Each structure stands twice: as C-alpha cells, then as structure tokens.
Amino acid sequence: MAQQLMIANWKMNKTHDQAKDYMDILAQERLPSQVEVVICPPFTALGAVAAGAKASLSMVGAQNCSWAASGALTGEISPEMLMALTVKYVLVGHSERRSLFGESDDIVARKVQLLLQSALIPVLCLGETEQERDGNLTEEVLRRQLDAALPLTSDEASKIVIAYEPVWAIGTSRTANGEQVTAAMQLIRHYLATKYTAATAEAIPILYGGSVNLGNIASLAECPIDGALVGGASLNPQDFANLTRSFAVAKEL
Ligand code: PGA
C-alpha cells in the first residue's frame, strides 16, 4: 500500500502570525500516526509552519516553486530556498496555477524534474474541467497531463505523489462522486503500471482533491484513494485534524 497523505493547501490565506496560531492549535490535536499530514502555507508563512511542524507531527509543504535552480527570476522561489525551510513536498500544476498563471504542461514537467533533482517530493496535480468532462474528454486530458509531466525513469516516478483534482470540484462544494473518483484512480494507476511496473504504480500515492470536507471524507475513503488534498476545509486546524482522523478511521489505518 502506498503511503497515506492528508495535505492542507491554504492557498493565499493566513499571515505569519496566523500560521503560528494555527500550528499551536494543531499541536494540541492528536493526528493519526499512520497518515502523513502536510501543511502547505503561502511562502511568507513557511517559517511559522516549519517552526511548529515537529510539535504537531506534521510535515511542511509549499504551494509552488520555480522551474529554475537560481538566477535572474524576480519574484520566484527555488527548491533550495524551500529545502532551507524544511519543506518536503511541493504542489506542482495546481489547476489555479495552470488556469490563472499560464502554467503549461511543459513548465509543470520542468518543475517536477527540478524538484526530483533537489530531493523534494512533487505533488503533481491533474484534473479535467467541467467542459472536458461533459465532452467525454476526461481520460484524454488526464493522459495528456501525465504524458507531459512524466518523462521520468521508474525510479524517479516512484518518488512523486499524484493528486487528482477535477477542476469543477475545486472550491465549489461539488465533490466528485465515488464512481468518478474510482474511475480516475483506476485510470491513473493503470497508466502508471503500463508505463512503469505494477510495483511502481502501487508505490505512488494518488490523492483526491476538490471540496473534501468532514461530511464526505468517509465516503471518499471508500474509493481507492491514498489521501486527500484539502483547500477550504484545511483552514481551521481543529477541522483539519478531525478530517485526518476521520480519514484514518474510515480507511481502518
Ligand atoms: P477545496 O480546494 O478543497 O477548497 O476544493 C482543493 C484544492 O484546490 O487543492
């Protein structure tokens, strides 16, 4: 079984001080030891999250990074800078980055490569828009995104995490149903097993993201997911801790 992960994506929310308060509260909660809990704050709050990570038994993640190691790239943040703040995971190709900031499949691929070279774990985000789903293009879109992002060896591929996040389910309260989630997980797992080996495909955690909350986590956990990428429902530390516990219970971890 792949490692189980619950990842909080705060997006553009919380200052340094608010992040410190969050981590103090999270440290009072009992997080399930069988699940790797990852907090992805904005860059400016990484220091506060890193300072509180050990006490709360969580890991530090970033929401983005540059595709270059260093240089004249005003406003960018490199993998080396993230590593200095004890970051372990980095989201790559989140749909908001793709649609609002013009992140192409090619840029996503470059980021995945650079992160692997830096020994950081890329969390590769994939997903179709509503229009693509309605046009029966979900499989084609997921295959294209996987093809583009994974010109990797089997060894490299076994070091990534994949998050399936249908764009129409992000921040909309419209969670994908069990059938849709299961079909996407099977498609991605099958793609990985065909391209690499069954063992590599099994080793890669595949998460679901898109309006995950306390009300739907138990039914989502019945699908073959290895965890969740959580936006809105991760902003309150007690709620997020509850969510991780509910996931562990539902998965019988
Ligand atoms: P949401 O966001 O849980 O608020 O839908 C998920 C994400 O964008 O990663």
Side-chain angles (χ1 to χ4, degrees), residues 7-86:
I7 304 183
N9 175 13
W10 290 358
K11 308 193 180 186
M12 198 171 73
N13 291 290
K14 297 194 191 293
T15 62
H16 175 279
D17 286 351
Q18 289 165 343
K20 190 180 170 310
D21 292 345
Y22 183 109
M23 296 307 286
D24 286 346
I25 296 169
L26 197 63
Q28 307 301 314
E29 297 283 337
R30 217 173 8 86
L31 297 179
S33 57
Q34 311 86 329
V35 178
E36 176 115 310
V37 177
V38 183
I39 311 292
C40 301
F43 290 132
T44 47
L46 276 172
V49 169
K54 201 167 173 201
S56 64
L57 305 178
S58 57
M59 297 291 158
V60 189
Q63 297 175 19
N64 186 25
C65 79
S66 175
W67 40 260
S70 66
L73 290 155
T74 303
E76 288 291 275
I77 302 285
S78 72
E80 186 187 6
M81 295 168 189
L82 298 178
M83 288 181 78
L85 286 165
T86 69

Side-chain angles (χ1 to χ4, degrees), residues 9 11 94 165 169-171 210-212 229-232:
N9 175 13
K11 308 193 180 186
H94 188 281
E165 296 204 297
I170 296 178
S211 298
V212 174
L229 178 52
V230 186

Side-chain angles (χ1 to χ4, degrees), residues 146 150 162 188-197 201 204 206:
L146 286 162
L150 301 179
I162 292 178
I188 296 167
R189 195 78 73 194
H190 180 72
Y191 175 99
L192 296 169
T194 308
K195 180 161 183 165
Y196 302 109
T197 62
I204 299 174
I206 309 178

